[in-house]
């Protein structure tokens, strides 16, 4: 039986403010709070709230037939909790329908999987913990930022305990194969892979409202007919896109939500079901391993990472950022950790791209990739000075790790000795109290001992 695996991503840019070279060392606050509040409220009103309301309605009205999956970056969740709690409430409502699966992803929506394994693991597990805290279930399936994947990343994800992972069904890794099967990681056969069908996904996410498109207007029955027309043995159809496709990329006036509302009924008529990623992975076996020696993503026609790391500016910023990754990973400063999440976000590097794009590209406050690079490097310069003030540059990572291990061991020893002192003080206090009672005059004890029997005799006499 054919099944549709529908997935949406929620990520929101953390806008950095204009930061001059002369601010380095003086100003340690990097965010534009007004821009962040304005943008999150705008996208919540135009996209997230109506889209999630529709998904909740579809789940409730289908009696469990309709299923959907979502992943949310940690930095996006932080902003939603602060500026758009109505969206968080809708996410809880969707979770309560038992028709939604929440996936794990890097907390920062960054590129740590390409740079530092320890940082990558830390933020993935942190995001998994947040999902479990919010929605009551630990994620079993992982999706990397922008579906970035290599064999090595797959092996790391498998080692973290995930059973499945989402990635792009790019032609250069599939060849003649179809994305409509379950595959597995070449280096970790136990990790199953769900590959995005970029044509079926982009027909909705990119082309739905394009009046010049040959298939315009697209109706739900026609879309389901396309899926029904594929060979019967091709069982899973992975439709992945950003949630902002519903309302931002495809305006609500295009009737995009009505299209989605009609999908379950049209699919049911053709005997096509909906499944969450975990259900697909649990039911279907892998047909083959996928080889991905070089990174693949869902961005641009190349489906690679060139949009973030394709020019000298981007690579310089990327390498400079992760040059302090070990120090940041080892530190416990909350502000450093938070700024690290914001600076890792992949959007910062995408603003620096010099690649032409056939899709409308938003560059934020920047006039050019060079403007974006200059502003980011100014902020990064101040950030690195703060990190180095905690851990001096002349201490290499191995020496730093050894030093922090010693400090940690000393801290544990101090804590152990403190606990022993507290235990001894408690025992001493009890001993002193017992000695005080023993030394008390006998006359102080007698009256209390005589009263009880006297009362007892009076009671017996009355009876």
């Amino acid at each position: 039986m054919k099944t549709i695996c529908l997935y949406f991503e929620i990520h929101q840019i953390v806008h950095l403010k204009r930061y001059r070279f002369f601010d380095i060392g003086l100003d340690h606050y990097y965010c534009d709070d007004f821009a962040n509040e304005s943008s999150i409220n705008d996208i919540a009103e135009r996209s997230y709230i109506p889209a999630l309301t529709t998904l909740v309605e579809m789940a409730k009205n289908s009696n469990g037939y309709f299923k959907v999956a979502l992943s949310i970056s940690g930095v996006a969740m932080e902003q939603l909790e602060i500026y758009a709690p109505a969206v968080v409430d809708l996410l809880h409502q969707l979770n309560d329908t038992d028709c939604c699966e929440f996936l794990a992803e890097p907390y920062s929506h960054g590129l740590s999987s390409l740079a530092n394994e320890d940082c990558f693991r830390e933020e993935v597990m942190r995001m998994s913990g947040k999902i479990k805290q919010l929605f009551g279930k630990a994620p079993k399936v992982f999706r990397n930022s922008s579906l970035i994947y290599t064999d090595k990343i797959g092996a790391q994800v498998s080692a973290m305990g995930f059973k499945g992972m989402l990635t792009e069904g790019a032609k250069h890794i599939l060849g003649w194969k179809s994305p409509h099967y379950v595959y597995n990681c070449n280096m970790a056969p136990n990790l199953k892979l769900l590959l995005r069908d970029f044509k079926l996904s982009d027909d909705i996410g990119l082309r739905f409202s394009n009046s010049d498109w040959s298939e315009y207007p697209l109706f739900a029955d026609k879309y389901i007919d396309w899926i029904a027309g594929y060979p019967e043995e091709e069982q899973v159809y992975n439709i992945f896109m950003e949630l902002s496709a519903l309302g931002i990329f495809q305006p609500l006036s295009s009737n995009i939500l009505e299209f989605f509302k009609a999908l379950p009924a049209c699919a049911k008529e053709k005997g096509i079901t909906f499944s969450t990623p975990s259900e697909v992975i649990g039911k279907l076996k892998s047909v083959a391993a996928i080889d991905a020696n070089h990174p693949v993503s869902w961005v641009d026609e190349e489906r690679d990472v060139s949009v973030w790391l394709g020019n000298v500016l981007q690579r310089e910023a990327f390498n400079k950022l992760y040059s302090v990754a070990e120090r940041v990973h080892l530190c416990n400063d909350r502000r450093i950790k938070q700024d690290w999440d914001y600076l890792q976000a992949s959007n910062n590097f995408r603003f620096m791209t010099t690649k032409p794009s056939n899709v409308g590209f938003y560059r934020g406050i920047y006039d050019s990739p060079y403007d974006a690079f200059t502003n980011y490097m100014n902020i990064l310069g101040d950030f690195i000075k703060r990190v180095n003030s905690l851990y001096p540059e002349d201490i290499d990572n191995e020496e730093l790790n050894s030093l922090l291990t010693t400090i940690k061991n000393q801290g544990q020893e101090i804590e152990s000795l403190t606990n022993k002192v507290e235990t001894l003080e408690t025992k001493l206090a009890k001993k002193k109290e017992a000695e005080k009672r023993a030394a008390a005059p006998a006359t102080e004890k007698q009256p209390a001992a005589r009263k009880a029997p006297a009362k007892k005799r009076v009671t017996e006499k009355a009876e």
Side-chain angles (χ1 to χ4, degrees):
M1 180 180 289
K2 294 181 178 181
T3 192
I4 296 172
C5 183
L6 182 63
Y7 156 82
F8 293 104
E9 170 200 273
I10 296 179
H11 172 60
Q12 181 64 19
I13 298 170
V14 174
H15 296 272
L16 301 178
K17 68 181 182 182
R18 282 287 180 184
Y19 195 93
R20 303 173 304 158
F21 175 81
F22 301 103
D23 293 327
I24 297 175
L26 300 175
D27 183 3
H28 305 316
Y29 194 77
Y30 311 137
C31 298
D32 186 336
D33 291 334
F34 177 77
N36 287 325
E37 182 176 4
S38 299
S39 61
I40 195 70
N41 284 331
D42 179 62
I43 199 170
E45 183 178 344
R46 293 169 55 199
S47 173
Y48 292 166
I49 291 176
L52 288 170
T53 301
T54 297
L55 294 177
V56 171
E57 179 184 334
M58 291 169 66
K60 289 180 177 179
N61 293 342
S62 69
N63 295 319
Y65 190 81
F66 173 74
K67 305 285 181 64
V68 67
L70 288 172
S71 76
I72 312 162
S73 70
V75 293
M77 183 58 76
E78 287 180 9
Q79 293 187 76
L80 291 172
E81 289 173 334
I82 296 171
Y83 301 122
V87 175
V88 180
D89 182 59
L90 285 167
L91 291 171
H92 282 291
Q93 290 182 39
L94 188 58
N95 182 54
D96 291 341
T97 65
D98 292 326
C99 294
C100 178
E101 178 179 7
F102 289 91
L103 311 185
E105 70 165 75
Y107 193 95
S108 69
H109 195 80
L111 307 174
S112 59
S113 60
L114 301 173
N116 188 289
E117 185 174 344
D118 289 335
C119 290
F120 176 53
R121 178 182 178 84
E122 185 277 330
E123 59 172 330
V124 170
M125 301 315 293
R126 182 155 47 104
M127 193 66 231
S128 295
K130 190 168 183 67
I131 291 296
K132 184 177 181 180
Q133 177 191 1
L134 286 170
F135 305 113
K137 295 178 183 177
K140 298 177 182 177
V141 179
F142 176 76
R143 60 89 59 191
N144 203 0
S145 310
S146 301
L147 300 187
I148 294 173
Y149 175 80
T150 63
D151 294 335
K152 183 178 178 182
I153 292 173
Q156 292 171 13
V157 169
S158 178
M160 293 180 206
F162 293 101
K163 304 301 181 184
M165 181 172 176
L166 276 54
T167 189
E168 177 72 3
K171 289 182 179 179
H172 65 273
I173 65 166
L174 274 176
W176 55 268
K177 302 183 189 76
S178 168
H180 304 149
Y181 295 94
V182 174
Y183 294 89
N184 65 270
C185 174
N186 187 34
M187 293 177 63
N190 291 331
L191 183 76
K192 293 183 178 179
L193 301 176
L194 299 183
L195 305 186
R196 174 179 180 259
D197 185 316
F198 61 84
K199 181 187 180 302
L200 289 175
S201 300
D202 291 347
D203 283 343
I204 300 175
L206 296 181
R207 293 182 280 271
F208 183 82
S209 61
N210 183 4
S211 58
D212 295 328
W213 181 34
S214 60
E215 300 294 344
Y216 179 86
L218 178 62
F219 294 103
D221 54 352
K222 180 164 71 171
Y223 189 79
I224 293 298
D225 284 343
W226 290 348
I227 296 175
Y230 283 101
E232 195 59 37
E233 60 271 17
E234 298 187 7
Q235 295 186 343
V236 57
Y237 297 81
N238 301 308
I239 315 300
F240 305 159
M241 67 192 76
E242 297 179 39
L243 186 63
S244 55
L246 283 59
I248 302 296
F249 302 132
Q250 308 305 322
L252 298 181
S253 59
S254 67
N255 293 321
I256 184 69
L257 296 183
E258 284 67 24
F259 169 84
F260 270 94
K261 288 178 184 178
L263 282 178
C266 294
K268 200 168 188 177
E269 287 182 5
K270 297 290 184 179
I272 299 171
T273 63
F274 286 83
S275 300
T276 63
S278 287
E279 289 175 341
V280 173
I281 289 168
K283 293 176 183 177
L284 301 180
K285 295 181 179 180
S286 169
V287 297
I290 290 293
D291 296 321
N293 296 319
H294 302 287
V296 61
S297 79
W298 70 355
V299 177
D300 290 347
E301 293 183 4
E302 293 86 356
R303 315 291 186 199
D304 59 13
V305 296
S306 59
V307 72
W308 304 286
L309 302 174
N311 63 43
V312 176
L313 301 177
Q314 293 169 310
R315 291 190 293 272
E316 171 66 18
F318 181 79
N319 293 334
K320 192 73 173 177
L321 174 68
Y322 284 100
S323 69
V324 295
E326 292 294 339
R327 285 165 161 75
V328 175
H329 179 63
L330 293 169
C331 88
N332 294 315
D333 188 292
R334 186 184 64 82
R335 284 290 306 276
I336 292 284
K337 291 283 193 182
Q338 186 177 55
D339 289 337
W340 174 250
D341 286 334
Y342 297 161
L343 291 173
Q344 279 193 99
S346 61
N347 311 87
N348 295 312
F349 301 98
R350 193 171 188 183
F351 290 149
M352 303 175 200
T353 186
T354 51
K355 288 182 65 177
S357 176
N358 56 3
V359 180
F361 177 59
Y362 172 71
R363 208 181 287 276
I365 62 173
Y366 308 115
D367 300 324
S368 69
Y370 311 101
D371 185 25
F373 173 77
T374 301
N375 199 70
Y376 183 81
M377 293 303 283
N378 286 341
I379 292 175
L380 187 55
D382 183 79
F383 178 77
I384 291 176
K385 282 176 69 72
R386 291 165 59 201
V387 173
N388 288 337
S389 69
L390 295 175
Y391 309 115
E393 251 181 313
D394 55 357
I395 302 178
D396 61 30
N397 289 334
E398 186 175 346
E399 185 181 356
L400 178 66
N401 196 12
S402 176
L403 178 62
L404 290 178
T405 301
T406 302
I407 294 172
K408 182 179 179 182
N409 291 339
Q410 288 177 343
Q412 291 175 344
E413 186 177 352
I414 291 171
E415 184 179 358
S416 176
L417 291 173
T418 302
N419 291 336
K420 287 181 180 179
V421 170
E422 289 177 354
T423 302
L424 290 173
E425 287 178 345
T426 302
K427 288 182 178 179
L428 182 60
K430 289 181 178 178
K431 185 177 180 180
K432 287 182 176 179
E433 182 67 24
E435 289 175 349
K436 185 179 179 181
R437 289 178 181 174
T443 52
E444 293 181 9
K445 301 177 184 178
Q446 290 302 321
R450 290 194 189 109
K451 285 181 181 177
K455 288 182 179 179
K456 187 176 180 182
R457 283 196 297 270
V458 171
T459 306
E460 289 173 353
K461 187 175 181 181
E463 290 175 354

